[in-house]
Amino acid sequence: MFANNLDTLLVYLKGVGPKRAELLQKELGVSTYAQLLEHFPFRYIDRTRFYKINQLNPDLPLVQVIGKIIGKETVGDKQKKRIVAKFADDTGVMELVWFQSLKWVDEHIVKGGAYIAFGKPVLFNGTFSISHPELENYPRQQGLTGNLTLQPIYNSTEKLKKSFLDSKGIQKLIQLILELHINEIRETLPGYVLEKYRLISRKDAYRHIHFPASAAMLQQAQRRLKFEELFFIQLQLLYNKQINSLKFKGAVFNNVGKKVNKFYNEILPFDLTNAQKRVIKEIRIDTQRGAQMNRLVQGDVGSGKTVVALMSMLLANDNGCQACMMAPTEILARQHYQSVVDLVKDDLVNVAILTGSTTKKQRTLIHQQLEKGEIDILIGTHALIEDKVQFKNLGLVVIDEQHRFGVEQRAKLWRKNNIPPHILVMTATPIPRTLAMTLYGDLDVSVIDELPAGRKPIDTRHFYESQRLRMFGFMKQEIAKGRQVYIVYPLIKESEKLDLLHLEAGIEQLSYQFSQPDYQISIVHGKMSNTDKQFEMQRFIEGKTQIMVATTVIEVGVNVPNASVMVIENAERFGLSQLHQLRGRVGRGAEQSFCILMSGNKLNPTSKQRLETMVRTNNGFEISEVDLQLRGPGDISGTQQSGTIELKVADLAHDQVILQEARNTVIEILNEDQLLDKPENNLLKNYLHRKNQGISFDKIS
Ligand code: ADP
Ligand code: MG
């Protein structure tokens, strides 16, 4: 790439200077012309639409009113001093108010003048007013912004506003850059792609996203920029995936041997669902190709991902390889260990567990056994990826509840063996298709879309605080039948103390409510030691306690089939996928299970919609889509930890079609031109070169 004027620092732009340049850097993270051009408007105001004064209502956002100043006076004094103008059209009179720059206003805003006033209408004592309106002479002047039909509105901050870089101020800077340098905005997509998808040029897209000539042009600009954004994410993912598969061999698992057969024919206590069988087959095919498998298994809560993982690990063992399984928390690792040990029962394989709380002595022993190849399956937490942990021949890594492991950590695992191990990633709950394509677009995807036969759908109800006694009554009824109950409290970091108080108050109320007959309560929360947590869990598992009160530590993986009621306190404070996952802790036994969502009496519309969704459906795939619609991709539970992709224009909740187009395009291109050697793909190759600097694949291998 040649040096480009658009890489100029903003400090050199007319009207910016060192102070504002520094502010722009600090507040918006932009320091060059190009970066400011990428600060896209977050919405637009239709400047062709005018309101009459009698059409105003306080719920309207920014409006434009055409009128005449029919009176003007200065009222109040000192701090309260302000100018109030009467502004009238043929339907009524409203007020325009200024608290600042009074001298200027007094001189320039004249009685009798006709203006277009623009701002947020507020109703006060029966009269509408706009504070600090933007005023334009009426009729409108011609000129670049005078012709604007859609006015861009930019994100700004208090500090920027103090330096006159409010939305309007930012607009002026962007306008200036575009006037001077628009012809230097270079195309990034090959011509044939533009043609095929009828995309406008990058240059035009930048012009019209900032200053749309019409709503139609704005739409075209957005489509072009969204396509570009998603296209390059896909290009990077799929190109890297392809390079991996060319470069990295994988162990060949072509032997279904004693371990898999014995487990499947003699030990497995149930029939696999068709979905489980299909996914295992996909894994079988993948692991025979001689290339490294990188596969994501999506399945709803309770769909039986553990068995799939276990059979894959046994397959590795049958082919002379070790396998390991990584879980995000200690509790979950222990649960997995327990279920694997329970499932394989006799001495079919040698299973070990390694976590942060493994004693030094045990740890040393495990390290030795691993190196000698005496351990077939190792289950644990992050402790597994420490450099000290060496395998004799690691063939498969299962990462459970993946979204807490980042791409970096995944890569670290690859280095655990000469031939990188196959990787199987399991999500805790389904994630929306668009998000999966974007976050895990370099993985092949398997879906377990079927629950084991005979599962009764969980009956979910929403109770308001005012119905609490009814909820207690229901709990008592179920416990009397011999069932056990979970009660989960939210725990939010910022107010841990408060939450703990809340939890304690809840426990006090419970002990009072359930003292007759004398029911026992287990308590597990984040402030307890692991030993104490485990002790309490164990009492509940053994049925010595009827009620388990917990913060979200039980969120993942806990399996107590006799627990058939899940009460979630302050359910409005949980995200949808979290609620769904918590609910998945019940419904594991033969009994009808229930989930009760407790909430305050007042709910905002989004919370209400979340709870209604939970009551309406048990389907995790559906829930994940609603979640995305309601919250946006950055907020989908768990994805923050894996370094969420930050999108500037595209929106995974609404741009499925464009994403699919972009992905298909990339697939077609790479099919035709694997290494992007054709001249028409030069732009793409250059892009990848720049992007992959610093994260080169040689480092990973
Ligand atoms: P998840 O997909 O949420 O991790 P698990 O693997 O924990 O689900 O399985 C949930 C429960 O269902 C476990 O008790 C497991 O033994 C059981 N299970 C798994 N597959 C089947 C099946 N095909 N038939 C009956 N029960 C099954
Ligand atoms: Mg699981």
Side-chain angles (χ1 to χ4, degrees), residues 208-308:
H208 291 288
I209 198 148
H210 289 294
F211 303 111
S214 64
M217 279 318 290
L218 172 60
Q219 209 183 2
Q220 295 229 33
Q222 286 171 329
R223 191 169 112 77
R224 146 78 213 212
L225 293 169
K226 286 173 179 194
F227 186 97
E228 170 181 334
E229 183 167 48
L230 297 169
F231 176 91
F232 282 106
I233 292 173
Q234 292 300 318
L235 181 69
Q236 218 182 335
L237 286 167
L238 292 170
Y239 185 79
N240 291 350
K241 175 183 176 192
Q242 178 188 272
I243 296 294
N244 289 349
S245 69
L246 293 174
K247 194 163 171 179
F248 296 122
K249 294 202 181 64
V252 178
F253 295 171
N254 51 13
N255 177 30
V256 177
K258 192 176 139 252
K259 295 194 168 74
V260 170
N261 280 323
K262 182 158 184 207
F263 176 75
Y264 187 66
N265 296 322
E266 296 173 28
I267 300 178
L268 186 64
F270 42 71
D271 292 331
L272 293 178
T273 63
N274 286 327
Q276 284 170 319
K277 284 184 195 160
R278 191 186 62 238
V279 172
I280 289 172
K281 198 163 169 190
E282 285 164 352
I283 293 167
R284 283 264 297 130
I285 293 170
D286 248 12
T287 51
Q288 284 180 79
R289 291 179 310 149
Q292 186 199 23
M293 168 174 78
N294 277 284
R295 185 166 283 279
L296 175 74
V297 175
Q298 286 219 58
D300 210 340
V301 183
S303 62
K305 294 182 289 283
T306 315
V307 180
V308 172

Side-chain angles (χ1 to χ4, degrees), residues 162-173:
K162 280 201 188 114
S163 289
F164 303 102
L165 288 173
D166 55 0
S167 174
K168 204 65 192 257
I170 293 171
Q171 179 189 320
K172 279 189 187 137
L173 297 184

Side-chain angles (χ1 to χ4, degrees), residues 34-157:
Q35 285 169 353
L36 190 59
L37 286 185
E38 282 185 24
H39 186 63
F40 299 128
F42 71 98
R43 63 194 179 89
Y44 301 82
I45 289 161
D46 186 349
R47 308 242 22 194
T48 56
R49 164 104 211 233
F50 294 94
Y51 286 83
K52 292 287 186 188
I53 290 170
N54 70 356
Q55 291 173 326
L56 295 179
N57 78 62
D59 296 331
L60 287 170
L62 299 165
V63 296
Q64 299 188 102
V65 181
I66 299 171
K68 226 178 218 172
I69 306 272
I70 56 169
K72 193 176 76 172
E73 56 176 342
T74 304
V75 296
D77 51 19
K78 290 187 185 148
Q79 314 284 55
K80 298 241 170 101
K81 193 166 166 183
R82 60 196 186 274
I83 293 179
V84 178
K86 299 269 179 225
F87 189 62
D89 67 6
D90 52 4
T91 69
V93 181
M94 64 181 295
E95 289 177 352
L96 307 177
V97 187
W98 290 266
F99 300 91
Q100 282 160 14
S101 316
L102 298 187
K103 188 156 172 281
W104 188 91
V105 172
D106 201 36
E107 283 165 13
H108 289 82
I109 310 298
V110 292
K111 196 171 157 185
Y115 295 97
I116 301 170
F118 174 73
K120 164 81 189 147
V122 184
L123 187 60
F124 188 69
N125 283 344
T127 304
F128 278 98
S129 68
I130 295 179
S131 299
H132 286 272
E134 209 178 274
L135 288 188
E136 262 182 90
N137 291 318
Y138 182 80
R140 225 166 221 170
Q141 313 293 299
Q142 290 304 303
L144 219 166
T145 39
N147 284 333
L148 266 192
T149 51
L150 291 167
Q151 182 180 347
I153 304 294
Y154 296 93
N155 263 324
S156 180
T157 65

Side-chain angles (χ1 to χ4, degrees), residues 305-306 332 336 400-401 428 557 585 588:
K305 294 182 289 283
T306 315
L332 186 56
H336 276 315
D400 191 26
E401 332 282 19
R585 297 310 111 207
R588 301 186 155 229

Side-chain angles (χ1 to χ4, degrees), residues 288-562:
Q288 284 180 79
R289 291 179 310 149
Q292 186 199 23
M293 168 174 78
N294 277 284
R295 185 166 283 279
L296 175 74
V297 175
Q298 286 219 58
D300 210 340
V301 183
S303 62
K305 294 182 289 283
T306 315
V307 180
V308 172
L310 176 58
M311 289 192 59
S312 310
M313 293 194 287
L314 294 175
L315 180 67
N317 296 159
D318 268 342
N319 288 275
C321 290
Q322 293 163 297
C324 71
M325 184 170 187
M326 229 171 31
T329 65
E330 170 113 22
I331 286 196
L332 186 56
R334 289 198 179 281
Q335 284 270 336
H336 276 315
Y337 176 70
Q338 204 50 56
S339 29
V340 168
V341 169
D342 287 348
L343 272 169
V344 294
K345 281 182 200 106
D346 55 10
D347 50 4
L348 187 67
V349 285
N350 197 354
V351 188
I353 177 162
L354 181 67
T355 68
S357 64
T358 307
T359 63
K360 193 153 179 259
K361 205 169 140 202
Q362 283 170 305
R363 188 179 294 267
T364 316
L365 184 67
I366 289 174
H367 286 174
Q368 286 168 358
Q369 289 178 325
L370 277 174
E371 282 172 44
K372 284 193 217 147
E374 289 166 5
I375 292 172
D376 303 299
I377 293 177
L378 180 66
I379 294 172
T381 53
H382 284 74
L384 291 189
I385 50 174
E386 282 170 18
D387 289 333
K388 284 171 290 184
V389 183
Q390 295 291 335
F391 294 79
K392 179 162 183 237
N393 187 14
L394 180 63
L396 171 73
V397 178
V398 180
I399 304 175
D400 191 26
E401 332 282 19
Q402 137 80 18
H403 49 229
R404 309 201 179 186
F405 290 103
V407 176
E408 255 310 295
Q409 287 162 311
R410 239 196 278 159
K412 205 167 168 187
L413 283 160
W414 295 13
R415 285 168 289 209
K416 287 257 168 235
N417 217 52
N418 281 338
I419 299 177
H422 297 298
I423 307 270
L424 197 59
V425 173
M426 311 248 183
T427 60
T429 55
I431 54 176
R433 235 174 75 77
T434 52
L435 196 60
M437 261 196 262
T438 312
L439 277 179
Y440 308 117
D442 55 340
L443 305 182
D444 296 305
V445 180
S446 290
V447 180
I448 309 185
D449 50 5
E450 184 187 355
L451 293 182
R455 289 272 170 83
K456 292 195 187 80
I458 298 160
D459 186 345
T460 302
R461 318 262 174 104
H462 170 204
F463 282 49
Y464 289 98
E465 190 52 44
S466 53
Q467 300 166 297
R468 179 167 288 279
L469 288 180
R470 254 181 78 193
M471 186 274 284
F472 283 141
F474 180 76
M475 275 177 64
K476 284 179 187 164
Q477 193 184 312
E478 289 300 302
I479 296 174
K481 288 188 204 160
R483 308 284 103 77
Q484 288 165 286
V485 179
Y486 294 107
I487 303 182
V488 177
Y489 283 82
L491 191 62
I492 295 174
K493 276 248 157 53
E494 302 92 72
S495 59
E496 236 172 81
K497 265 203 191 122
L498 245 171
D499 282 318
L500 220 50
L501 279 178
H502 196 156
L503 179 77
E504 278 161 11
I507 291 167
E508 203 164 300
Q509 195 180 15
L510 280 170
S511 331
Y512 172 74
Q513 281 287 335
F514 292 87
S515 57
Q516 277 312 323
D518 189 12
Y519 290 138
Q520 299 298 310
I521 303 176
S522 284
I523 300 166
V524 173
H525 61 76
K527 285 268 182 268
M528 291 164 65
S529 73
N530 274 329
T531 332
D532 288 349
K533 273 188 218 168
Q534 245 162 269
F535 177 76
E536 290 287 301
M537 288 289 305
Q538 203 50 39
R539 293 203 312 146
F540 188 68
I541 291 168
E542 288 167 12
K544 290 184 181 148
T545 59
Q546 287 75 38
I547 302 171
M548 157 70 78
V549 179
T551 54
T552 47
V553 287
I554 64 156
E555 181 185 334
V556 274
V558 177
N559 194 10
V560 181
N562 189 50

